[in-house]
Amino acid sequence: MTKYIIFAGTTEGKTISDVFEHAGIAHIVCVATHVGREVMAEGKHRRIISRRLKACEMEDLFVKEQVQVVLDATHPYACEVTKNIREASEKCGCDYQRIVRESKLHDEADEDLVYFETVQECSKAMKQVEGKFLLTTGSKDLHIFAEDEAVRSRLIARVLPVEESLQLCENAGLSGRQIIAMFGPFSYEMNHAMLQQYDIACLVTKDSGRNGGFEEKVMAAKECGCKVFVIGRPVKETGISVGEAIRTYAGDVTIPFHISLCGLGPGDVQMMTCACKIALKNADLVLGAKRLLDDAAGCTEAMMMPYYLAKDIIPYLESYLGHNPGANIVILLSGDSGFYSGCTKLYKELTKWNCRGMNLELLPGISSISYFAAQIAKPYSCAQLESWHGKADDPDYPGHLAAVIARHADTYVLLSAGEDVARLGTLLNGYGLGDCEVTVGSRLSYPDQSVETCLAKNLGISPNGLCLAYVHNPSPKQNLSICLADDAFIRDKVPMTKADIRHLCVARLELQEHSVVYDIGAGTGSVAIEIAKQHESIRVFAVEQKPEAVELIQKNAALLHAENVTIVEAQAPDRLENLPVPTHAFIGGSAGRLREIIDLLLKRNPDIRIVVTAVTIETVSEMTEVLKLYKDKEAELIQVSVSKNMQAGQYTLMQAQNPIYIAILGPGRQEESK
């Protein structure tokens, strides 16, 4: 007794059978030819019958095996076979289920596809098209397409490499050069190559659905500029999907599948790691950008699809795995998966997707930086690693990059294209870094690799394609702290926190890399700019209400190359809630709203560190009263008097400046000094 029988010959039938085998469900698989048998092997729970069965033979088989459920997963166009299976099932009292395939029939939104209800209608329309046709509709209807001699001479037929198909080609009058006899599946890359190789003007296909390779054919045809004629299904089928069949008859079974995120290396296949080559060799499906698929084409026979973004990959995999459970999937990434790679985001999205049965692994590759460093014999162990690739629209990045190069002797920079080299030269010259030595590498690892060196002020290199640069700064500014002099700023008549107090306040903020700082009542912007110059990763928001002061901050920020300062024209605490959450704040002017400002700052970040300055007695009084309200916070109040030397004839006198009161509120290290 065998409860289940599957009529296969399509991927859907194999998929269901593989799941049954994995789940330990005994079943029989019927395929029409030895071709169908070649894609499946006999198993512990699977028996295969490989010959065409007449209706009466089906009935005898159902009775003999006491079959209860018949799953018809034959080809969508095998109408006569489906009719016989259904009638035999009804006569024997079996539960008949037609397995239907996803179809793109009547997708009117796609103007590149022309649909025909019948082969005859399509054949008639082909007479109006010039150029060659690639027929991917099988061998059964070849004689219809070949009836007109003018069309027949322009046909290229892709058929199965079996005697029956080849005989039908010969009967239709096709010569050897017009026949491509190959087993599928056919990837996008394979379809694309055939269309180009044979100079095809029009691809003719049936609506075989996603699992029948329809999508791969259409994508390749569009890329090659070919027309696409689609013969729609003879009838609109009803039934259940592969997934529904598995859930209904195999239960809640999980088939493990494997995804490898592979760093392909700089490009040349010789630089690919052995682990990546093994993954490609064992792959059933390879995804990635077209450039990467081209590089890996010789290492795999798997189907390839040009998807590299999570928003495209995950929906495709949901459909693909429904028909190909247990598949080995490789997603290609350029360079090293852990170095400025799209792998980081993709890994996070795949982990969030968390599809049942997924085994996810990362396979690192050789990064372009490590390859380039070896080519120019400049180690990168102590160098700064930066990427301008994909950041053309980020207005803050150029200033950040210039600050990094100014601080360090050696910097490697990933670039998108040749024009980025010119942008790099303009940037360095604008920051007074024209004497930096720049080495540019492009097309790394390929036969036409290029490596050139010159000074930034003479940079005229225009490489093709993706490239990167090594920048050597002979005079890096390696100060551990930045203390700008007062005369570095344009003042006009706007009040400014003087250098000694400014340096002390910045020090008491206890800044860290990637701090987010509000400078409230920014005045000339001297404090905001000095904070910004401490490290390029710090973000500073200079909040100022007076238009003349705002204009002055803009001038000073441009003069001193403080691109990480953002000006907010407002009276605090207005508009502060719309800014990024602060880690630090300096309050140099509060316009009588000190309590409101501190309340808002602590609401946004209870662990914020705040430094407040006061000169007038009224502000000192307000500051003292406000500090009393925050007894649970670490608070410190200090008074600073600074005297500067002045010459009086031959004598040097110390001239006292106004005493300054400084309040520090929030977590810090003051307890350690006691």
Side-chain angles (χ1 to χ4, degrees):
M1 174 181 175
T2 303
K3 183 177 180 180
Y4 299 98
I5 190 165
I6 302 170
F7 284 86
T10 62
T11 306
E12 285 85 357
K14 179 181 182 302
T15 298
I16 297 171
S17 178
D18 286 346
V19 172
F20 279 17
E21 177 70 18
H22 179 83
I25 300 172
H27 63 288
I28 295 173
V29 179
C30 293
V31 292
T33 66
H34 71 277
V35 176
R37 187 187 185 101
E38 287 180 3
V39 299
M40 284 184 285
E42 293 271 357
K44 184 177 180 181
H45 308 286
R46 173 167 56 201
R47 181 154 55 98
I48 300 176
I49 298 175
S50 56
R51 62 185 178 86
R52 298 186 188 277
L53 298 177
K54 298 177 182 178
C56 59
E57 292 176 309
M58 293 178 188
E59 294 175 26
D60 292 342
L61 178 63
F62 296 168
V63 172
K64 178 182 177 182
E65 297 293 338
Q66 301 180 45
V67 173
Q68 297 179 26
V69 178
V70 176
L71 301 177
D72 178 7
T74 57
H75 197 278
Y77 291 86
C79 301
E80 188 64 30
V81 174
T82 290
K83 178 174 176 290
N84 290 340
I85 297 171
R86 181 183 289 110
E87 291 179 353
S89 300
E90 291 175 354
K91 288 184 179 179
C92 297
C94 301
D95 177 13
Y96 171 85
Q97 293 289 356
R98 176 62 174 146
I99 308 302
V100 295
R101 176 182 291 181
E102 178 187 354
S103 171
K104 294 182 75 75
L105 185 61
H106 302 311
D107 185 359
E108 297 177 1
D110 196 336
E111 298 177 354
D112 296 322
L113 277 59
V114 181
Y115 284 90
F116 301 93
E117 291 294 333
T118 65
V119 174
Q120 288 76 8
E121 289 178 11
C122 180
S123 177
K124 184 178 179 181
M126 289 166 62
K127 297 176 184 179
Q128 311 302 318
V129 177
E130 297 182 358
K132 296 180 182 178
F133 299 92
L134 177 63
L135 294 179
T136 63
T137 55
S139 56
K140 181 180 176 182
D141 297 316
L142 272 177
H143 65 285
I144 300 175
F145 294 112
E147 285 178 351
D148 188 287
E149 185 176 350
V151 173
R152 184 195 315 138
S153 62
R154 295 182 284 132
L155 295 179
I156 306 294
R158 191 167 75 189
V159 298
L160 290 173
V162 296
E163 184 177 350
E164 180 182 358
S165 297
L166 297 175
Q167 185 62 55
L168 289 172
C169 289
E170 183 179 341
N171 294 345
L174 302 186
S175 63
R177 293 181 180 274
Q178 293 178 277
I179 303 169
I180 302 173
M182 294 179 66
F183 284 120
F186 296 99
S187 67
Y188 159 83
E189 297 290 330
M190 179 67 80
N191 286 312
H192 191 278
M194 287 185 181
L195 293 169
Q196 286 193 320
Q197 176 68 30
Y198 288 92
D199 191 24
I200 300 300
C202 181
L203 169 73
V204 182
T205 179
K206 291 181 179 178
D207 178 30
S208 52
R210 171 172 286 180
N211 206 44
F214 183 82
E215 187 172 349
E216 289 82 354
K217 286 187 278 189
V218 171
M219 288 179 66
K222 288 182 178 181
E223 183 70 22
C224 293
C226 299
K227 295 180 183 293
V228 181
F229 283 2
V230 184
I231 302 169
R233 301 203 181 164
V235 293
K236 188 173 183 179
E237 293 189 305
T238 58
I240 62 174
S241 67
V242 170
E244 290 172 324
I246 291 172
R247 287 190 295 271
T248 302
Y249 300 108
D252 191 23
V253 61
T254 299
I255 308 297
F257 67 97
H258 195 85
I259 297 180
S260 299
L261 302 182
C262 291
L264 195 61
D268 191 312
V269 68
Q270 295 183 10
M271 303 303 297
M272 193 187 306
T273 66
C274 290
C276 185
K277 289 180 180 179
I278 292 171
L280 284 168
K281 182 179 179 181
N282 296 329
D284 301 300
L285 172 68
V286 180
L287 306 175
K290 187 177 183 304
R291 175 178 66 87
L292 302 181
L293 296 180
D294 290 341
D295 290 339
C299 300
T300 183
E301 296 180 359
M303 182 173 73
M304 291 183 166
M305 289 297 291
Y307 296 134
Y308 58 93
L309 297 176
K311 68 181 181 66
D312 300 317
I313 289 174
I314 291 175
Y316 183 79
L317 289 182
E318 286 175 343
S319 174
Y320 177 83
L321 290 167
H323 301 286
N324 301 275
N328 286 317
I329 300 159
V330 171
I331 303 176
L332 295 177
L333 302 141
S334 60
D336 176 20
S337 58
F339 181 73
Y340 287 110
S341 171
C343 177
T344 303
K345 184 176 181 180
L346 181 56
Y347 183 88
K348 185 183 296 184
E349 292 298 321
L350 289 172
T351 304
K352 190 187 302 181
W353 177 42
N354 195 26
C355 187
R356 287 180 59 192
M358 177 176 66
N359 295 313
L360 184 60
E361 71 168 346
L362 300 180
L363 296 178
I366 297 174
S367 71
S368 55
I369 290 287
S370 61
Y371 178 87
F372 186 43
Q375 293 293 298
I376 63 176
K378 301 289 185 182
Y380 60 96
S381 55
C382 296
Q384 298 301 300
L385 307 180
E386 290 288 329
S387 175
W388 207 349
H389 178 54
K391 298 178 181 176
D393 297 328
D394 184 350
D396 298 326
Y397 187 75
H400 165 85
L401 178 60
V404 170
I405 293 172
R407 284 175 177 269
H408 299 93
D410 302 294
T411 306
Y412 282 93
V413 188
L414 291 173
L415 302 171
S416 294
E419 53 265 29
D420 280 1
V421 178
R423 292 170 59 202
L424 180 62
T426 301
L427 178 69
L428 295 179
N429 283 302
Y431 277 78
L433 298 168
D435 289 331
C436 289
E437 184 181 82
V438 182
T439 302
V440 178
S442 62
R443 297 282 296 165
L444 295 175
S445 81
Y446 292 102
D448 56 344
Q449 169 182 299
S450 171
V451 177
E452 301 177 74
T453 302
C454 67
L455 294 180
K457 58 188 175 185
N458 301 324
L459 199 58
I461 302 169
S462 299
N464 294 321
L466 295 175
C467 53
L468 52 85
Y470 162 73
V471 183
H472 174 67
N473 183 356
S475 304
K477 298 177 181 178
Q478 297 180 327
N479 306 49
L480 296 181
S481 63
I482 304 296
C483 298
L484 299 173
D486 287 340
D487 59 9
F489 299 93
I490 304 169
R491 277 195 65 182
D492 291 343
K493 297 179 181 180
V494 176
M496 181 175 75
T497 303
K498 298 294 182 62
D500 296 291
I501 302 301
R502 184 170 65 246
H503 304 335
L504 176 60
C505 291
V506 172
R508 295 308 298 265
L509 278 170
E510 300 181 4
L511 299 166
Q512 299 176 353
E513 290 185 21
H514 304 287
S515 292
V516 177
V517 187
Y518 294 176
D519 177 8
I520 297 171
T524 61
S526 62
V527 176
I529 292 170
E530 186 148 319
I531 291 171
K533 299 295 284 185
Q534 300 303 307
H535 198 273
E536 60 273 5
S537 69
I538 297 174
R539 298 179 65 190
V540 187
F541 294 88
V543 184
E544 176 56 56
Q545 62 174 321
K546 297 177 181 178
E548 62 272 21
V550 168
E551 184 178 351
L552 204 55
I553 298 170
Q554 292 172 338
K555 291 179 180 179
N556 282 320
L559 176 68
L560 296 168
H561 299 296
E563 276 79 5
N564 47 338
V565 172
T566 300
I567 301 172
V568 180
E569 188 170 358
Q571 183 186 78
D574 301 342
R575 292 181 58 187
L576 296 188
E577 288 189 341
N578 298 325
L579 301 179
V581 175
T583 58
H584 301 75
F586 172 76
I587 305 174
S590 59
R593 303 177 70 181
L594 183 60
R595 179 177 176 180
E596 291 179 65
I597 294 170
I598 294 180
D599 279 345
L600 178 61
L601 293 175
L602 290 172
K603 178 182 176 183
R604 298 209 66 197
N605 180 7
D607 296 322
I608 190 173
R609 186 164 177 79
I610 304 170
V611 172
V612 188
T613 60
V615 179
T616 68
I617 297 299
E618 288 77 13
T619 307
V620 172
S621 176
E622 183 186 12
M623 178 193 295
T624 306
E625 291 302 317
V626 169
L627 290 179
K628 290 179 181 178
L629 301 174
Y630 302 103
K631 294 179 180 179
D632 59 327
K633 301 292 181 182
E634 297 179 21
E636 186 179 3
L637 181 62
I638 61 177
Q639 185 266 317
V640 179
S641 296
V642 176
S643 297
K644 289 236 175 184
N645 68 297
M646 63 171 291
Q647 291 300 122
Q650 61 180 338
Y651 298 100
T652 301
L653 301 178
M654 300 305 293
Q655 186 177 39
Q657 298 182 0
N658 292 329
I660 304 294
Y661 294 84
I662 303 175
I664 301 102
L665 185 69
R669 296 191 297 271
Q670 55 264 38
E671 289 298 324
E672 298 172 8
S673 64
K674 292 183 179 179

